[in-house]
Amino acid sequence: MYTIQGVIRKGINNAFTQFERLGQVGNNLANMNTNAYKTVRFEQMLGEDGYLKGAIRTDFAQGSIRITSNPYDVAIDGAGFIPVTSPTGEVQYTRDGGFKQGKDGYLVTNDGWMVGEGIQIPTNCYRFQIKPNGDVYAYEAGKKNERLLGNIPLVRFASPEGLEQADMNRFKATDDSGEAVLVKGHDCFKQHNIETSNTSVYNSTSEMLRLNASMIASTRMLKVVDDMYNKAINIREG
């Protein structure tokens, strides 16, 4: 049997859960143009106690692959992540292949994290090529044969849903995700391409409108219950 106070507590909890979900949908829409961004779902579950509970899930479905004119762009066609290393030595994982040439010619992410174990592109290189298996070759002036500079590794996880989201569209390995496993003999890399966000504008907008209507209904219900509570107090005092 519910008391008025209990109904109010449940209503506030449920409205707060819906507000969190609305925030996640808004974040997805804000990142619709972010390279290789993965949509975050906020799944609601109604517990036996009447409280709404939420769980955050990341949708790792493949985004569309778009051709670019930038030789530093590389898309992953298939499952997996590229390990990148911070200036302090921390390793995280990304699908955003919008790279650039950083300090001393090394291939880095846009915020300066080193790709793989370090791939240094020489200054006299007039062209470099990223093979589907991640091998990076340089073509230097005055030399007939290309030179192997290194390899962009591809790793996969037993349970990618267990990865923890980090800054700048990167992920951290956790006990739930398992350790990164190096993929050998693949052909998943596409140079001059970039993976786009897998966020559906139509679905996200529809969900945002639905959640907004649901929150309005929840707050109205709380107002009605609050009025009933105040009237009950007045009757007791009278």
Side-chain angles (χ1 to χ4, degrees):
M1 182 176 180
Y2 292 141
T3 63
I4 293 180
Q5 294 95 328
V7 172
I8 292 175
R9 282 197 300 271
K10 287 184 174 65
I12 292 173
N13 174 81
N14 295 348
F16 181 75
T17 301
Q18 290 174 325
F19 184 76
E20 276 194 289
R21 187 174 180 182
L22 187 65
Q24 292 291 347
V25 175
N27 187 60
N28 289 335
L29 283 171
N31 284 281
M32 59 177 290
N33 292 320
T34 300
N35 294 339
Y37 175 79
K38 298 305 174 190
T39 298
V40 175
R41 301 191 309 272
F42 191 87
E43 299 177 352
Q44 290 183 181
M45 297 163 286
L46 185 63
E48 294 180 357
D49 56 1
Y51 285 91
L52 273 178
K53 300 176 181 178
I56 295 175
R57 300 281 187 271
T58 302
D59 180 6
F60 284 102
Q62 175 87 47
S64 300
I65 293 179
R66 175 173 56 85
I67 298 174
T68 72
S69 59
N70 190 345
Y72 293 97
D73 286 343
V74 56
I76 303 174
D77 188 8
F81 302 83
I82 298 172
V84 291
T85 307
S86 74
T88 59
E90 182 183 3
V91 178
Q92 294 182 2
Y93 306 90
T94 186
R95 287 184 62 90
D96 182 357
F99 301 137
K100 66 180 182 180
Q101 192 172 3
K103 185 179 179 181
D104 299 325
Y106 283 97
L107 193 65
V108 297
T109 64
N110 278 321
D111 59 338
W113 287 49
M114 188 172 293
V115 177
E117 296 181 354
I119 300 170
Q120 189 176 30
I121 300 173
T123 55
N124 61 341
C125 169
Y126 68 88
R127 183 170 73 91
F128 71 95
Q129 183 178 18
I130 301 174
K131 299 284 188 179
N133 67 350
D135 286 343
V136 182
Y137 288 90
Y139 297 83
E140 300 175 38
K143 295 183 180 180
K144 294 182 179 181
N145 299 325
E146 70 275 13
R147 179 161 65 93
L148 179 63
L149 303 177
N151 177 270
I152 300 175
L154 178 70
V155 300
R156 290 174 182 161
F157 294 88
S159 180
E161 293 79 10
L163 290 169
E164 177 186 343
Q165 282 196 324
D167 295 332
M168 299 300 293
N169 207 14
R170 294 188 298 266
F171 297 90
K172 297 179 181 179
T174 67
D175 291 339
D176 292 334
S177 68
E179 295 183 357
V181 177
L182 182 66
V183 181
K184 298 180 180 179
H186 68 86
D187 59 352
C188 295
F189 289 129
K190 289 186 173 182
Q191 188 182 17
H192 294 280
N193 287 268
I194 203 76
E195 182 184 1
T196 62
S197 168
N198 67 355
T199 296
S200 168
V201 178
Y202 175 79
N203 291 340
S204 296
T205 303
S206 296
E207 187 174 10
M208 179 171 283
L209 292 173
R210 182 171 56 82
L211 283 170
N212 186 60
S214 179
M215 287 185 63
I216 291 173
S218 295
T219 53
R220 284 177 178 172
M221 184 196 71
L222 285 172
K223 180 67 169 59
V224 171
V225 174
D226 184 58
D227 289 343
M228 292 173 59
Y229 184 66
N230 289 329
K231 289 179 180 178
I233 292 175
N234 292 332
I235 290 173
R236 288 178 186 174
E237 292 179 348

